[in-house]
Every structure is written in structure tokens, then in C-alpha cells.
Amino acid sequence: MNPSANSVVYNTPNYLDAEGGVRSWLFTRDHKRIGVMYLVLTTSAFALGGLFAMLIRIELLTPGPTIMSAMTYNRMFTLHGVVMIFLFMVPAIPGIFGNFFLPLMLGAQDVAFPRLNLLSVYLYLVGATIAVWGMIQGGADTGWTFYAPYSTTTTTKVVPILLGAFVIGFSSIVTGINFIVTTHTMRGPGLTWDRMPLFVWSIYATSIIQVLATPVLGMVLLLVAIEHSFGFGIFDPARGGDPILLQHLFWFYSHPAVYIMVLPAMAVISEVVCAFARKNMFGYKAVAYSSLGIAFVGFFTWGHHLFTSGQSAFDAGIFGVLSMFVGIFTAIKVFNWTATLYKGAIKFTAPFAYVCGFLFFLVFGGMTGVALATVSLDVHWQDTYFVVAHFHFIMVGGTIMAFLAGIHYWWPKMFGRMYSEGWALVAACTIIFGFNATFIPQFLLGNMGMPRRYYSYPAQFWPLNVASTAGASLLGFGFLLVLVYLLLSLKYGRVAGANPWGSRGFEWNTPSPPSALNFPVPPVFTHGPHDYQDRGPGEEPSPTPPPEAQHA
Amino acid sequence: MPEATTPAIEPPLAHHFVSMRQQTEAARLGMWLFLVSEVLLFTGLFTAYAVYRFLYPTVFEEASRKGVELWAGTTNTFVLITSSLTVALGYHFAKEGRGKLAAALLAVSLALGFVFLGIKAIEYTNHFHEGQLPGKFYHFAEVQGPGASMFFTLYFIMTGLHGAHVVVGMTVLAIMAVRAWREEFGPVHFAPIELAGLYWHLVDLIWIFLYPLLYLI
Ligand code: HEM
Ligand SMILES: [Cu+2]
């Protein structure tokens, strides 16, 4: 980033060694440690959600009852959805990579409000604990959407689950505020908006949605909890309440929330694509602004979840058309990423394998989204496995692929060690193949009319369900593989060095792992991000690898 | 909110900021964003109000005429607006370094906050006696029919949530009053009291929307 950084000697210890002991972690204000805490917490949540998913798939292995009762099944899919969405998908990428890399990319020493940042971790932890406590008490059986009147009358423990999600919402708001303020006020000298890494742009757009949409969800969850506990009648038709209002308010958050989940994924992909194609991003501005475009349009499309819920045909038409605009912005990004790859000097590494998976799944999932936004088609697909496959294609195929791309790309930076590249490629292939085997059958099942959220099904759906369960097992195995070799690399991995990929992202201009004080001297930015353009002779080849950390 | 508890007369510059100006700007922007998210928290309720008012226009009108005391709402509006004025003056004097005067003005605001809560408590007691209660507890004979209890459901949730904000705001004002009394603020260091003031104005502003919706129309 700046020539002067190269002459700087890092004589401060790295952030992992800087202070020892549990206390130093529990009370840390260091954004990098907070990122690591999010990594541990959200991946644990992911494991829990994955466990529920496997139980669901095992139940669906045979047409009749397999391992559980209908009631248990209802709880399983509810808990799976709640854990995956609120405890993993929403907080994971911003919490882990946003915290770790946003300040490094901006040349800042930390986020704007380090104490609030720590508070967000604890809010997450408290929320997650309340929710898990609710699960131990018996869980809920409403689905993650908490539609009334069922959610307000069921005898299962919805209230702790609702309150857990409510508290986690505040964690999300605090993180969002922190990132917006950091981006506005903490950029290093010379880092103008049009030099900001695309990761920052996308995380910034995500944060805007988090600040604007999450409070509305918080209110809705609270209202459902109040209604369930006290019978105030807000959504109860017998007392003049309107259950559809709940759906509107819920999706006013939850549709933008799907962009809270996918924009950070796009953030990661933009970085990884440039690093492994060794080219500047094609159409930097288009990619940057399309993030804001998605964030904006995302607020006006929630009605596509209510096509069959009693909304007027006129509204349905409008919402259908508006939903398709999101496809346009997404397509802009996809075209730019592929154009960046075109004639790039591609290095086929594990992170890049996940990028390929991501691009394919996002396009496929996005197109099925556009198909679903077509009202006449949606009437047939609503509440079938087609919808389930659609959002899993984007959430698992998109966000989780990006998460895996990011973790493989940044692992050496975060922990200073390389993992086994061979095993990483094996795992990537397993995961991508397992993913297709799990969800392509679900599209077919949905199209044949298999409804979602039932624990048994007619025998003609059997073969495809077996395929789906087999795929899910492969997927789960792939994730375990990743966990194992990443953990092993911490101890046995080769020391990575400051910049093993030769990436020109700003964050690679620090030692690996970065020093506790990010930069001994605030860096000066002299050019844009992802700068792979060849420079004339005599010009500073930028960035040259910075000096190795001086710690032991 | 952010950095509101740093106890020092000369503001310490946190290690991660390069200048005082950057630190103040960050705190200010953070506060505004927080206020935006607070507004959106209430937006869900305002939406619910709009929908139900649209569905039950006559019952809502009747409930607002017979169910709530106009004098109480009006008095409270004046009380809150006055308290906002005293907070603004307190901020002004704190910035000039006249800590004792600022503390006194904040104390007046705090007292007005108590008046507000007192009047609200009288109102709530009346509602309990008259049976003007939400949902299944509703038994107010004068206004009946579909949607009648909904007005009071929304009334209680909205004023309840607002009341909680008043309590939080009063706590913040109390802390600021103590700190002003100790002469912690001056021409350089006034961000905490500024942010506290902003929060109190927001609490006030939300009431200014609640008042017409619940008492006037
Ligand atoms: C190209 C843009 C997209 C369009 C046009 C689109 C459209 C739709 C439509 C119309 C539905 C409603 C289907 C139904 O219930 O019948 C839907 C459901 C859903 N979509 Fe998308 N979608 C898009 C992208 C995304 C993204 C990026 C995500 C997540 C990261 C996502 C996640 C979901 C989820 C979670 C549901 C269903 C929720 C539920 O009912 O449980 N979608 N989408
Ligand atoms: Cu949607």
C-alpha cells in the first residue's frame, strides 16, 4: 500500500501472543481477537445447526416415520432454521472477517468503538445462550418465520427463542453502526472512497441494512413474544388483529436480511477473485455501487414472500417486478467477476475452487429466485421444496461457499500457518459435489409438488429424498474434513509468511499474524485496491512483501 | 452512548484515533446511527398503528376520545418539550465551562422526567380501573366492537416502550449532571453531554408523534 510500510520494523508482538490468559481474551478490545471469538462462536453454532440438518435429512430418508415423531420433526426444522440464520448466516462473515479485516484494509488501528465491539460479542453470546436454553427446554415448532396465529398459540417454548433472536439483533445493530462509522471516519490518509477495497464497500452496504432493518425485526419478535405470553391480541383475528401484518413486518426485515447474508459473501468473493486471477477488478465502480443498489432495492421486495398470503394482485405484481431488479444488480456483479477471471493468470487453489462453486450456485440460485418472483409460477412453488432449494442454493451455495473461500484465503493471515493444500482441494470437491447432490433433487421434488415442513411423504418421492440425504452426508463429511485440517494446521502447518498468495489486498501488507498494534505508523495509501497493473520500470513494485514479524 | 463513561477532564484520545476531531466525529456519527435505529424500532409500531387505524377508523377515534385523558397527554407534551429546552441550555453552559449551572439545568430536566412518569402513572392507574386494557384483559364498556381493544394494546406497547426510553434517558441525564457538576466538560470536551442531549431530544421527538396519534386524532 505504501512504500514506507516496507521500511517499518514490526517489533511489537502479534495479536495472538500479545497478551496471555483467558482474561485477556474475555476483555479484549482488539478487533482481530474479536474476529477470532466470532469465528469460534459462529462455527460452533454452525455445527449445532448442521446437527439439526442431519437429523432432518435422516428423518426424510424413508417415506414414513424414520427416527422421530412429527412433533420432533417440527422442532428440528425450526431449530435448524433459527440457528443457521440468526446464529450463523447473519453474524458470521461480518463478525469474523469484517472485524478482522475492515480496520486493516482501511489502515486503521481498530474499529471506531472497540468497547461496543466487545459488547456485540457478548450480546451475541447472551442471545445464543437464551435461544439454546429455549431449545433444551423443548424448542419451538413454528418454523423460523414465526407466523401467527400458530406462533402465538403453540405450547412449545417460542418465547426464549424469540428473545434470543431479539438480543442477537442488537449485536447485529451494534456491529453495523461500528462498521459504518469506521468506514466513514477511520480511513487512512489517501484512502478515498474510490480506493476502498470492494470488501469494505460490500460490508458497508450490509451494515446499512443491519442498522435499518434489524430494529423492525426486533420489534416484531418482541410483539410475538408479548402476544404469546400475555394475549394482547396484536395478531389475533378474534381480537381484531391481523396475522398478515406480522408477515409484512417479518419480511420487511427478513428479505433485506437475505442480503445481510449474501452481501458479505460477495464482499469476500471480490477479494478472492482479484487475488487469484491476478487482475484488477473489472468495473470496480459497478461492483461497488451495485452493493448499494442491492441494499436499496432489497427494502422494497418483501412482498414476494406473501404472494399467496392474501395480498392484492396489484401488490403482488409490483413486488414481483421490484424483486427482479435485485437480479439485475446481482448479475452486474457476476459479469464483473467473470470478466475479471477472463484472461487472468488464474491460480487454482482451494479458495478459488470455492469461488467457482459460488459463481455457479449464485447464478443458479438467483435465477430460480427470479423465477419465483414471477407470481404465476410462485403460486405453484410456494411452500414446496423448490423454495427450500432456492434459498439453500444461495445461502449454502453462495454464502457458505464464500465463507469457506474466505477462511481458506485469510487463514494464513489470521493464524500465520498454511493448511494442507491437497486436503483442502479434496474437501472443496467433496463439499461442492455433496451440495449439488443435496439440493438439485430438492428442486425436482418441489417441482413435483413435495411440500416443505412435512415429516413424511408419498412413496414416489423416495428416490430423490435418498439422493438428497446421501448428498447431505457428503456435505457434512466435507465440513468435518475442513475443520480437521484447519485445526491441525495451527500446530503442524507450514509458517505462511506475510503474503503467501502474493495478493495485493491492503490487509496483506501486515505480518502474519498481524501485530497487536495494526500499524506502527499509520499507512499512507497511494493507489487503489487490488492493484495488479504492471508498473513502469523504476516505479515502486507495489506492494512488496513487508518484513517478517519480529516475534519469536 | 459511545465513549460516554470516560471520566477525565481533558478528554483522553483513545489509542486508535489519530485526532480529537476524528474521535468526536466518530462518536457523533455513531450516535446519529443509533438514533436512526431507535426510530426504526418504533416504526414497526407506527406501521401497526396505521394499519389498525385504517381497519377500524371509528372505534379508534372513539377510544381515543373516551379512553385517554387529553389534559394528561397535553401536559406531558409541554413537560417534555420544556425538558428538552433545559437539556439544550445545559449543554450550552457545559460547553462554556459553567458546570454547576449546567448540572442545575440537567437536574431540572430530570425533575421534569419524573413529572412525566408521574402523570403517566396516574393515567395507567385510571386505565386499570376503567378496564381499558390490552387484548384479553379489555373490559371497557363504553367502547366495544372489533378493534376496540387494539387501540389500548397499541397504546400500552407504544407508551410503555417510550416510557422505558424515558427511564434510560433520565439515567443518562443523571450521569451527565454529576459529571457537569464535577466540571468535567468544557470548550474542548463536551461530546458526552452533546450525545446525551441528542438522545433526550429523540425521546422527546417520539412522544411528539405519539401524542397526536393517541390523544388528538
Ligand atoms: C436474485 C435475487 C432473488 C430473488 C428474485 C429471490 C426471490 C425469492 C422469492 C420470490 C421467494 C419466495 C418464494 C416463496 O416463498 O414462494 C424467495 C424465498 C427465499 N429466498 Fe430468495 N430471491 C433472491 C435472492 C435470494 C438471496 C440472495 C437469498 C439469501 C441469501 C435468498 C433467500 C431466500 C429465502 C431464505 C427464502 C424463503 C424463506 C422462507 O420462506 O422460509 N433469496 N426468494
Ligand atoms: Cu425475499
Side-chain angles (χ1 to χ4, degrees):
Chain A
M1 95 187 69
N2 61 325
S4 65
N6 304 325
S7 50
V8 169
V9 178
Y10 285 90
N11 47 17
T12 44
N14 75 44
Y15 77 101
L16 292 168
D17 297 345
E19 276 179 281
V22 182
R23 272 183 67 93
S24 78
W25 278 89
L26 293 183
F27 297 104
T28 186
R29 313 254 170 88
D30 184 335
H31 65 100
K32 301 181 286 300
R33 284 191 167 199
I34 289 176
V36 174
M37 284 160 84
Y38 265 113
L39 176 64
V40 174
L41 291 171
T42 53
T43 42
S44 310
F46 183 65
L48 181 65
L51 178 72
F52 290 133
M54 280 323 294
L55 292 172
I56 294 174
R57 278 316 323 166
I58 293 172
E59 171 53 39
L60 292 178
L61 197 53
T62 64
T66 312
I67 54 165
M68 58 180 80
S69 66
M71 190 61 185
T72 316
Y73 181 80
N74 292 349
R75 290 187 166 120
M76 283 305 132
F77 72 69
T78 303
L79 299 184
H80 166 66
V82 169
V83 170
M84 284 302 198
I85 302 246
F86 296 114
L87 271 63
F88 180 76
M89 299 292 281
V90 172
I93 295 183
I96 304 167
F97 303 131
N99 268 319
F100 204 105
F101 293 110
L102 192 88
L104 289 178
M105 289 180 178
L106 295 176
Q109 301 291 24
D110 208 320
V111 290
F113 309 120
R115 262 185 287 176
L116 288 181
N117 207 15
L118 183 63
L119 176 70
S120 83
V121 179
Y122 282 106
L123 284 174
Y124 172 86
L125 197 60
V126 170
T129 311
I130 301 176
V132 170
W133 182 78
M135 292 172 199
I136 296 168
Q137 295 295 305
D141 62 345
T142 60
W144 75 284
T145 46
F146 304 112
Y147 278 7
Y150 188 65
S151 62
T152 55
T153 48
T154 172
T155 52
T156 53
K157 293 282 177 290
V158 268
V159 173
I161 309 265
L162 288 164
L163 291 182
F166 175 76
V167 174
I168 289 175
F170 282 95
S171 157
S172 186
I173 294 173
V174 169
T175 306
I177 292 179
N178 222 336
F179 288 171
I180 295 178
V181 175
T182 307
T183 311
H184 272 277
T185 61
M186 310 277 288
R187 278 172 288 127
L191 188 59
T192 47
W193 284 82
D194 58 359
R195 283 180 179 170
M196 274 190 340
L198 287 166
F199 180 83
V200 178
W201 271 103
S202 233
I203 291 285
Y204 177 78
T206 311
S207 303
I208 294 178
I209 312 179
Q210 282 181 323
V211 172
L212 295 183
T214 318
V216 180
L217 175 79
M219 202 62 243
V220 180
L221 298 179
L222 205 59
L223 289 180
V224 176
I226 289 176
E227 172 102 37
H228 186 273
S229 312
F230 308 114
F232 276 16
I234 316 158
F235 302 122
D236 178 1
R239 298 200 165 79
D242 181 1
I244 309 285
L245 177 65
L246 171 91
Q247 298 188 19
H248 278 287
L249 292 175
F250 181 84
W251 286 111
F252 178 82
Y253 163 80
S254 291
H255 185 78
V258 306
Y259 303 112
I260 295 181
M261 301 177 224
V262 88
L263 276 170
M266 295 171 162
V268 173
I269 295 301
S270 294
E271 295 296 319
V272 180
V273 161
C274 289
F276 293 101
R278 314 207 56 73
K279 269 177 71 186
N280 289 5
M281 178 56 78
F282 177 86
Y284 167 86
K285 286 215 167 124
V287 178
Y289 293 139
S290 63
S291 295
L292 296 181
I294 290 178
F296 180 72
V297 176
F299 276 103
F300 305 98
T301 63
W302 79 86
H304 64 220
H305 296 274
L306 286 84
F307 286 157
T308 59
S309 304
Q311 134 188 289
S312 74
F314 177 75
D315 289 355
I318 297 287
F319 277 122
V321 172
L322 285 172
S323 303
M324 293 183 189
F325 278 103
V326 179
I328 297 178
F329 289 116
T330 311
I332 290 176
K333 283 180 184 274
V334 172
F335 284 128
N336 282 293
W337 289 321
T338 34
T340 308
L341 294 177
Y342 180 68
K343 289 198 174 161
I346 293 172
K347 279 208 285 192
F348 202 91
T349 53
F352 190 77
Y354 288 112
V355 169
C356 296
F358 173 89
L359 286 177
F360 174 71
F361 299 140
L362 182 80
V363 168
F364 208 79
M367 285 193 315
T368 54
V370 174
L372 283 169
T374 313
V375 184
S376 51
L377 292 173
D378 186 68
V379 170
H380 295 284
W381 285 326
Q382 170 85 57
D383 269 330
T384 68
Y385 261 83
F386 194 91
V387 173
V388 175
H390 154 68
F391 66 75
H392 280 90
F393 249 73
I394 296 191
M395 302 211 286
V396 183
T399 308
I400 295 194
M401 289 305 132
F403 171 77
L404 288 167
I407 198 85
H408 284 88
Y409 174 54
W410 280 313
W411 188 263
K413 174 61 45 195
M414 294 174 81
F415 300 105
R417 300 284 184 154
M418 287 305 288
Y419 45 85
S420 150
E421 184 68 34
W423 280 108
L425 281 171
V426 171
C429 294
T430 314
I431 288 176
I432 291 173
F433 180 77
F435 175 83
N436 279 312
T438 311
F439 292 106
I440 289 177
Q442 296 189 5
F443 274 122
L444 303 175
L445 284 167
N447 204 36
M448 287 155 72
M450 177 166 160
R452 61 192 286 202
R453 296 182 173 172
Y454 283 67
Y455 91 129
S456 68
Y457 49 81
Q460 79 259 29
F461 296 145
W462 192 22
L464 284 171
N465 271 297
V466 172
S468 184
T469 300
S473 316
L474 213 53
L475 197 53
F477 176 71
F479 289 133
L480 280 181
L481 213 55
V482 174
L483 183 70
V484 170
Y485 66 72
L486 283 184
L487 287 180
L488 284 180
S489 82
L490 287 179
K491 199 158 160 46
Y492 304 105
R494 172 165 61 76
V495 172
N499 192 354
W501 312 117
S503 167
R504 294 190 182 171
F506 295 149
E507 74 279 19
W508 294 96
N509 278 355
T510 55
S512 304
S515 113
L517 278 175
N518 291 354
F519 307 100
V521 214
V524 178
F525 293 80
T526 52
H527 58 77
H530 331 289
D531 195 34
Y532 292 93
Q533 231 120 44
D534 283 323
R535 284 146 191 279
E539 276 186 74
E540 185 72 25
S542 173
T544 28
E548 278 304 315
Q550 300 274 303
H551 61 88
Chain B
M1 239 227 338
E3 311 301 327
T5 49
T6 322
I9 298 178
E10 267 313 296
L13 184 62
H15 83 280
H16 58 291
F17 289 112
V18 287
S19 67
M20 207 43 220
R21 189 162 154 264
Q22 188 190 35
Q23 177 165 325
T24 312
E25 249 174 42
R28 207 174 274 152
L29 180 60
M31 191 66 194
W32 278 105
L33 287 168
F34 175 67
L35 296 185
V36 168
S37 76
E38 287 276 37
V39 168
L40 277 147
L41 191 69
F42 279 91
T43 304
L45 292 175
F46 285 128
T47 310
Y49 179 91
V51 168
Y52 289 128
R53 179 149 197 123
F54 176 77
L55 285 178
Y56 312 110
T58 44
V59 180
F60 263 52
E61 212 183 305
E62 228 183 308
S64 142
R65 226 168 346 96
K66 297 186 188 154
V68 298
E69 297 287 354
L70 185 59
W71 70 265
T74 313
T75 314
N76 262 346
T77 308
F78 280 110
V79 167
L80 274 193
I81 291 181
T82 315
S83 76
S84 253
L85 175 71
T86 49
V87 165
L89 286 173
Y91 160 71
H92 174 78
F93 288 119
K95 210 168 151 182
E96 285 189 348
R98 299 169 67 184
K100 298 280 187 286
L101 183 55
L105 283 161
L106 291 180
V108 173
S109 318
L110 206 57
L112 289 171
F114 278 113
V115 173
F116 177 89
L117 290 179
I119 294 180
K120 209 77 228 143
I122 297 174
E123 285 186 87
Y124 274 20
T125 322
N126 284 344
H127 298 313
F128 272 99
H129 288 309
E130 302 269 342
Q132 299 153 338
L133 295 169
K136 64 181 178 200
F137 308 105
Y138 185 79
H139 55 88
F140 182 49
E142 285 179 52
V143 185
Q144 282 293 335
S149 68
M150 190 59 72
F151 178 86
F152 289 97
T153 300
L154 289 167
Y155 170 87
F156 273 100
I157 295 178
M158 287 167 124
T159 56
L161 188 67
H162 176 260
H165 279 75
V166 171
V167 173
V168 173
M170 284 168 65
T171 316
V172 175
L173 287 185
I175 297 171
M176 288 305 138
V178 173
R179 291 180 62 184
W181 184 262
R182 292 194 197 135
E183 308 286 1
E184 283 181 22
F185 304 118
V188 205
H189 185 42
F190 53 84
I193 195 168
E194 175 186 339
L195 303 186
L198 280 176
Y199 186 76
W200 189 256
H201 294 328
L202 175 89
V203 171
D204 194 356
L205 186 74
I206 290 171
W207 178 259
I208 289 176
F209 281 95
L210 292 182
Y211 170 59
L213 292 182
L214 298 174
Y215 293 87
L216 293 182
I217 59 174

